[in-house]
Amino acid sequence: MQIDWSTFLLQTVNFLILVWILRHFLYRPVLAVIARRRAEIERTLAEAHEASDKAATLRQEYEGRLSKWEAERETARASLKDEIAAERKRLLAQAREAAAAEQQRAQALEEARQREARRRAESDALALASDFVSRLAGRLAGQGLDERLLDMLLEDLASLPSEQRDAIREAAGDQPVEVASARELPASQLDRLRQGLGELTRTEPTLDTKVDPSLLSGLRVSVGPWVLGANLADELRFFRNGVSRAG
């Protein structure tokens, strides 16, 4: 077989021309389209990665905020629980103090009421006793009791401290001595009284006598501002006042 070199050469030239045509008018546009598609895909993938990274960041931030909010909520809940417990404790203590104070006040009122009731009962009993003793003394009063009370008065005058004796002596001066008696005094008792007062005042006293039945028995002697008593009325009054102060 013989090779037709001219035909072979023409076929080779045609092939090279075809290759050049395909390279310039078909292969390069296809490569350009492929490159653009690849770039588009890479850009899309980059945007997807960026979006994914942003989403992950946002999720982490959300989870962090959620955890922080949960922690703050737990802290606030614990604080509120403590405040409620403290307030409850304070209110209970305040209620106990108020109840104790009210109990003490009620107890004090009850004790005051009992003291007042006891004082009134004692006062009533004392008044009854005083009335009874007054009536009894009135029935027993007489010359014999008057004589005995005069003896008591003279004994008291003789036993006065020197300071009081000097004060009575100074107060007496030349003024008459007032003598009140439950009954008119016999001359013998007046003489004894005058003698006792004379020893006290170191004078010859003038007696200004009068009868005062309210004395029940005995007498009351006034020397200036000094009042010397030995009678049932004053003794009973002193007894009532002494018992009242003691109560």
Side-chain angles (χ1 to χ4, degrees):
M1 182 180 71
Q2 293 181 351
I3 299 173
D4 187 355
W5 291 101
S6 60
T7 303
F8 178 77
L9 183 59
L10 290 174
Q11 290 293 332
T12 301
V13 171
N14 290 335
F15 178 76
L16 292 175
I17 292 171
L18 178 60
V19 169
W20 183 83
I21 292 172
L22 291 174
R23 182 179 179 83
H24 284 278
F25 296 101
L26 181 60
Y27 184 68
R28 284 185 177 178
V30 170
L31 290 177
V33 170
I34 292 173
R36 287 197 299 270
R37 292 287 298 173
R38 181 177 295 170
E40 184 69 21
I41 291 171
E42 291 178 352
R43 184 180 60 80
T44 303
L45 288 174
E47 291 177 354
H49 284 302
E50 184 179 0
S52 177
D53 293 339
K54 289 182 178 179
T57 302
L58 291 175
R59 185 178 62 185
Q60 290 178 356
E61 292 180 354
Y62 171 76
E63 291 177 353
R65 291 179 180 177
L66 183 62
S67 299
K68 184 178 180 181
W69 181 77
E70 289 288 344
E72 291 177 351
R73 188 180 65 175
E74 291 299 327
T75 302
R77 180 182 298 173
S79 178
L80 180 61
K81 185 178 180 180
D82 293 340
E83 290 179 0
I84 291 174
E87 182 66 15
R88 180 183 299 171
K89 184 177 180 180
R90 188 185 67 79
L91 292 176
L92 286 175
Q94 187 176 3
R96 291 193 185 96
E97 291 178 357
E102 182 64 22
Q103 185 178 4
Q104 290 180 355
R105 191 180 69 84
Q107 185 176 358
L109 290 175
E110 178 62 21
E111 291 176 355
R113 188 190 66 79
Q114 292 180 0
R115 286 197 300 271
E116 179 62 20
R118 188 164 53 248
R119 187 191 64 78
R120 290 183 179 179
E122 291 174 350
S123 179
D124 294 341
L126 178 62
L128 291 174
S130 179
D131 292 341
F132 173 76
V133 171
S134 296
R135 288 194 297 271
L136 180 61
R139 296 181 63 181
L140 296 175
Q143 291 294 336
L145 184 57
D146 292 343
E147 185 75 21
R148 178 57 187 150
L149 290 172
L150 176 59
D151 293 340
M152 291 174 57
L153 175 62
L154 295 176
E155 291 174 359
D156 291 342
L157 292 178
S159 61
L160 285 176
S162 58
E163 293 81 3
Q164 292 187 5
R165 295 171 66 88
D166 294 341
I168 294 173
R169 187 179 303 116
E170 183 178 355
D174 298 332
Q175 298 179 4
V177 178
E178 298 179 359
V179 179
S181 58
R183 279 165 291 278
E184 188 173 355
L185 294 175
S188 60
Q189 294 183 8
L190 283 175
D191 292 339
R192 292 181 58 199
L193 178 60
R194 186 177 292 106
Q195 181 180 356
L197 290 173
E199 295 175 354
L200 176 64
T201 60
R202 297 176 182 174
T203 61
E204 291 291 335
T206 302
L207 303 184
D208 183 7
T209 62
K210 67 178 181 179
V211 176
D212 184 358
S214 66
L215 297 179
L216 300 177
S217 185
L219 66 165
R220 180 188 294 136
V221 178
S222 300
V223 183
W226 292 86
V227 179
L228 311 171
N231 58 80
L232 288 180
D234 289 346
E235 294 297 331
L236 290 173
R237 187 180 302 107
F238 176 79
F239 171 74
R240 285 196 298 269
N241 294 336
V243 173
S244 297
R245 285 193 295 272

